[in-house]
Amino acid sequence: MGYRVAMDIGGTFTDFVVVDGGSDGGTGSGKVLTTPANPADGVLEGLRRFVPELSEIDFLVHGTTVGLNAFLERKGTRVLLIMTEGVRDAYSIARHDRKELYALRYHKPERLVPRRDVVEVVERLRWDGTVEKPLDGASLAPVVARIRDEGIEAVAVCLIHGYVNPVHELEVRDLLRDEFPDLSITLSHEIAREWREYERASTGVLNAYIAPRVEGYLSTLERELGELDVSSPLYVMQSNGGITSARTARSEPIQTLLSGPVGGTIGGAALARATGRPNLLCIDMGGTSFDLSLVVGGEPTVGTETELEGLPILMPLVDIHTIGAGGGSLAWLEAGGLRVGPQSAGADPGPACYGRGGTQPTVTDANLHLGRLDSGYFLGGRMGLDEDAAETALAGIAAQVGLGVTELAEGMLAIINARMADAMRTITVKQGIDPREYSLVAFGGAGPMHAVWLAEELEIGEVVVPWNPGTFSAWGMLQTDMRHDVVQSFYRPLAELEDADVRTVLDELEEEGAALLERESIGPEERYSARSADMRYVGQEYTVNVPLGREISLVEIDGAFHDAHRVRYGHSTPGAPVEFVNLRLAALGRIATAVGASTAPAIGEDPQLGIRKIVFAGVEHETPIVLRERLPERSSYDGPVVIEEQSSTTLVPPGSTATLDEHRNIVITRA
């Protein structure tokens, strides 16, 4: 057995987890600074640094933010959207809801494709997929001319009712491919085979918008890996919680949008199963963002649609909530008031204390000034921090607001903690979930430093810090399987169906899923699946996803829907007419193996590195500093104490106690 390697690109650092499958065993991790100009440079640097023999890599999985960053920064390619004659404005008009009810100057979220780049072709399908008007190839001539004359690199095709019968979308692709063999073409039925024309068009446009960037990045990375004698195929983490081959990711780049943050949620699910804590609130605080997710009953919560900056996306994905709050979040003034984030110093120049040219104070600078970070042990001592530069940056803002430097630093942390706590309420309290019934799992490079304060804000009883929390998302990528999701529109009243009607469609989806897994070289013995249905009461607009068993019974499905509706909305109406909207199947292929989260402790060595003065609530405390890898099992420390490790720093303030459990997780409880 060779090495199993996971790589996760973040806004500030690129994380690595390396599992040695040989006789030595063990799991190692490391970080290198992200290289924004070309993220592949940081990936290759980390592989050379942390993997002893690149030719002995057996498994390589990658979480990338290239597509997400291209969308968030609006640096994707120009897209031409092709729609059916007469419905071109469906994408521009969108829905009639207001995302901000009381904003006096509300504007709809900006579309990725302006109206002038939405073009029509002559064709028409009826709701059941039958052809009302065949595709007129001549109507594509103006489209071809625009692509040629204006240098269009990507096209999205969304024809009405194409999710039922894709014949015309396929014809459009064939005609365009004859003219432009290298053109990036996205067909809506391949990305979102569901009803609602606007949402389907939005999903297809987003895929086309990021496609050239993601395709180019993955192709370049695969080529450069080959030049380093890495023979293992490259796998990519998907937003749905599974992995796929880089080849498939290049054809459906939208699946990679949340591939980095999702790894942490999958790791949280593995932690839940190992520790017997079924309900977890996972927080991942890195250098740029703060990502939140829930694990319920030992499994991550997965939705069938979401929105990014007001634009809808139809696809199964792990529910992730993200705000701009991280160690690199900048402090700034607005109308005389102190603000922190969402702007970030990122990796270049980074916080002032990195010594790379940054001059504005960040959360990391504040933690360093308060003594909560060790300037000589950052990243295990591989990177030094400049305390004087941090103080100078903080002093510049402090003078403007009339505060001392220490007061400003604590104020910055209070502000960023309040923002993160409010985000945590968004996915718990505002959704009818009591966070006090959950354990808080803190990871990311900065998460364990802020976790206790966040737990206090939401009255959560315990904080769990896994081993190597700074690379936990990368570790989570090694805990999941291959996954492909397929869906079939099935708009039928339950009362008019027989069990066999549902079973027939699900069997067809099973065959489609098996073919996708076979293309990924997953044998029949390693395949399994999960079935579900989108259902609703007749007359409702939105649906509830209901898990389905292997045996189909409409009576049991009806009861399961009412139960699911009551859990989701707090009420149900047994006996009311119910209808199906979609049938879904997740085709999964076993590829993960059990991967330990930690290495054996260094028994016999003194864990205490020294004592450092650290400020808590305006008071300096003589605080012991201990090294996590030397802590004996079941050891316990009363706060204040700082627990150092290579990937992160865990802060235990006064009034809290940290204990190492049997899995070597740090469990922090409040007095």
Side-chain angles (χ1 to χ4, degrees):
M1 295 290 291
Y3 298 99
R4 293 173 60 84
V5 182
M7 312 172 294
D8 177 25
I9 298 179
T12 305
F13 289 100
T14 297
D15 303 335
F16 294 82
V17 170
V18 181
V19 180
D20 186 351
S23 57
D24 294 338
T27 301
S29 66
K31 289 174 172 282
V32 298
L33 283 170
T34 295
T35 50
N38 182 8
D41 291 342
V43 170
L44 299 174
E45 178 189 349
L47 286 174
R48 287 190 290 261
R49 179 181 298 182
F50 301 121
V51 182
E53 291 292 339
L54 295 177
S55 60
E56 295 181 11
I57 295 176
D58 283 345
F59 179 80
L60 189 64
V61 61
H62 183 28
T64 173
T65 57
V66 170
L68 181 61
N69 289 342
F71 166 70
L72 295 176
E73 298 169 8
R74 293 298 194 268
K75 293 182 179 178
T77 192
R78 181 185 174 190
V79 176
L80 208 62
L81 173 60
I82 301 175
M83 301 192 75
T84 303
E85 182 184 39
V87 297
R88 64 172 295 200
D89 287 326
Y91 178 72
S92 302
I93 293 173
R95 297 299 176 192
H96 293 281
D97 59 330
R98 290 169 60 98
K99 306 302 179 186
E100 301 173 33
L101 289 179
Y102 304 108
L104 296 178
R105 298 180 179 180
Y106 174 75
H107 294 280
K108 286 185 178 181
E110 183 181 354
R111 303 288 173 264
L112 296 177
V113 177
R115 186 176 183 273
R116 63 180 178 274
D117 285 342
V118 182
V119 295
E120 295 181 339
V121 293
V122 177
E123 65 86 37
R124 190 78 180 192
L125 296 174
R126 298 187 182 93
W127 67 272
D128 59 356
T130 56
V131 177
E132 179 177 313
K133 184 183 298 184
L135 175 68
D136 182 359
S139 66
L140 265 177
V143 179
V144 170
R146 286 193 62 179
I147 295 172
R148 179 182 297 111
D149 297 342
E150 300 176 22
I152 302 294
E153 295 181 342
V155 168
V157 183
C158 181
L159 303 183
I160 195 165
H161 303 311
Y163 62 93
V164 181
N165 182 0
V167 58
H168 288 170
E169 290 194 352
L170 294 171
E171 284 186 45
V172 170
R173 180 169 63 185
D174 291 342
L175 292 170
L176 292 179
R177 192 70 78 198
D178 289 341
E179 295 286 341
F180 310 102
D182 297 326
L183 181 67
S184 177
I185 303 174
T186 295
L187 304 185
S188 69
H189 79 274
E190 294 181 339
I191 303 300
R193 198 168 64 191
E194 303 180 43
W195 73 334
R196 295 195 178 106
E197 302 305 317
Y198 165 59
E199 285 79 2
R200 189 158 50 90
S202 175
T203 308
V205 163
L206 180 52
N207 187 82
Y209 184 73
I210 66 174
R213 287 283 295 272
V214 176
E215 291 169 359
Y217 168 72
L218 291 177
S219 297
T220 300
L221 181 58
E222 283 189 296
R223 184 183 69 254
E224 293 178 338
L225 288 171
E227 294 172 355
L228 291 179
D229 294 328
V230 176
S231 58
S232 167
L234 177 64
Y235 294 96
V236 178
M237 189 74 193
Q238 300 182 97
S239 302
N240 59 18
I243 62 173
T244 188
S245 65
R247 180 190 66 248
T248 302
R250 288 197 303 271
S251 63
E252 298 180 9
I254 195 172
Q255 294 288 350
T256 70
L257 275 180
L258 302 176
S259 69
V262 164
T265 311
I266 300 303
L271 188 69
R273 294 190 291 268
T275 63
R277 294 176 171 87
N279 298 329
L280 304 177
L281 172 53
C282 300
I283 62 169
D284 178 3
M285 183 180 181
T288 304
S289 64
F290 180 67
D291 304 313
L292 307 97
S293 58
L294 293 174
V295 173
V296 181
E299 297 295 333
T301 57
V302 179
T304 57
E305 60 182 289
T306 190
E307 284 189 352
L308 282 179
E309 297 196 344
L311 302 181
I313 301 174
L314 288 180
M315 67 177 186
L317 75 174
V318 175
D319 291 327
I320 301 283
H321 183 64
T322 300
I323 64 170
S329 293
L330 296 167
W332 51 289
L333 299 178
E334 182 181 51
L338 180 64
R339 304 285 186 268
V340 184
Q343 301 92 336
S344 173
D348 186 13
C353 61
Y354 283 11
R356 296 166 59 91
T359 58
Q360 292 180 263
T362 67
V363 171
T364 298
D365 295 312
N367 277 314
L368 178 63
H369 177 76
L370 296 172
R372 301 178 182 187
L373 282 174
D374 187 341
S375 61
Y377 196 75
F378 194 68
L379 296 185
R382 293 197 307 273
M383 180 177 175
L385 300 179
D386 188 336
E387 296 183 51
D388 292 336
E391 183 170 359
T392 300
L394 291 164
I397 295 287
Q400 297 180 58
V401 294
L403 294 175
V405 175
T406 299
E407 291 176 300
L408 175 76
E410 285 206 288
M412 287 173 57
L413 299 186
I415 291 171
I416 201 72
N417 287 341
R419 288 191 62 219
M420 293 188 291
D422 189 57
M424 293 163 65
R425 294 186 186 95
T426 298
I427 69 167
T428 54
V429 178
K430 293 182 180 179
Q431 302 295 328
I433 295 171
D434 187 349
R436 295 172 296 184
E437 299 176 358
Y438 286 67
S439 297
L440 183 66
V441 178
F443 51 94
M449 296 193 67
H450 296 254
V452 175
W453 285 269
L454 298 177
E456 288 178 353
E457 283 277 349
L458 276 76
E459 301 180 21
I460 296 174
E462 69 173 7
V463 173
V464 180
V465 181
W467 184 269
N468 280 338
T471 57
F472 187 70
S473 290
W475 179 79
M477 295 176 191
L478 297 173
Q479 314 299 314
T480 190
D481 289 327
M482 185 78 68
R483 175 167 175 161
H484 288 284
D485 290 280
V486 289
V487 59
Q488 179 63 56
S489 179
F490 191 70
Y491 186 46
R492 302 279 297 278
L494 184 144
E496 298 178 5
L497 293 170
E498 301 290 339
D499 294 349
D501 297 327
V502 177
R503 188 181 304 115
T504 298
V505 177
L506 288 172
D507 288 345
E508 293 173 354
L509 292 177
E510 289 277 3
E511 293 179 5
E512 184 178 353
L516 291 171
L517 292 176
E518 184 176 2
R519 194 173 65 181
E520 304 278 22
S521 302
I522 301 295
E525 67 283 357
E526 301 298 333
R527 300 172 192 164
Y528 64 107
S529 63
R531 303 171 166 190
S532 65
D534 295 337
M535 303 177 67
R536 64 186 184 183
Y537 290 113
V538 173
Q540 280 188 327
E541 174 65 15
Y542 292 101
T543 62
V544 174
N545 186 256
V546 180
L548 304 180
R550 305 304 300 181
E551 299 298 325
I552 299 300
S553 166
L554 291 180
V555 174
E556 294 179 2
I557 292 174
D558 182 59
F561 165 74
H562 296 300
D563 292 341
H565 194 280
R566 183 169 57 253
V567 170
R568 177 72 178 272
Y569 296 109
H571 67 91
S572 63
T573 312
V578 174
E579 61 188 3
F580 288 90
V581 176
N582 297 307
L583 293 177
R584 299 181 182 276
L585 181 130
L588 300 131
R590 294 182 182 87
I591 197 169
T593 57
V595 176
S598 65
T599 54
I603 301 298
E605 298 185 57
D606 185 1
Q608 185 162 328
L609 298 176
I611 294 177
R612 189 166 70 240
K613 290 183 179 180
I614 299 179
V615 177
F616 296 98
V619 179
E620 278 192 345
H621 292 258
E622 296 286 342
T623 305
I625 312 299
V626 299
L627 191 59
R628 183 172 185 175
E629 64 187 40
R630 297 179 184 175
L631 296 179
E633 189 175 304
R634 302 290 186 179
S635 57
S636 182
Y637 291 86
D638 293 328
V641 64
V642 172
I643 303 174
E644 295 276 12
E645 56 188 304
Q646 288 193 19
S647 68
S648 186
T649 297
T650 300
L651 202 61
V652 185
S656 297
T657 300
T659 304
L660 223 63
D661 69 9
E662 67 273 21
H663 302 285
R664 298 193 60 75
N665 301 304
I666 299 172
V667 181
I668 305 174
T669 54
R670 296 181 290 124

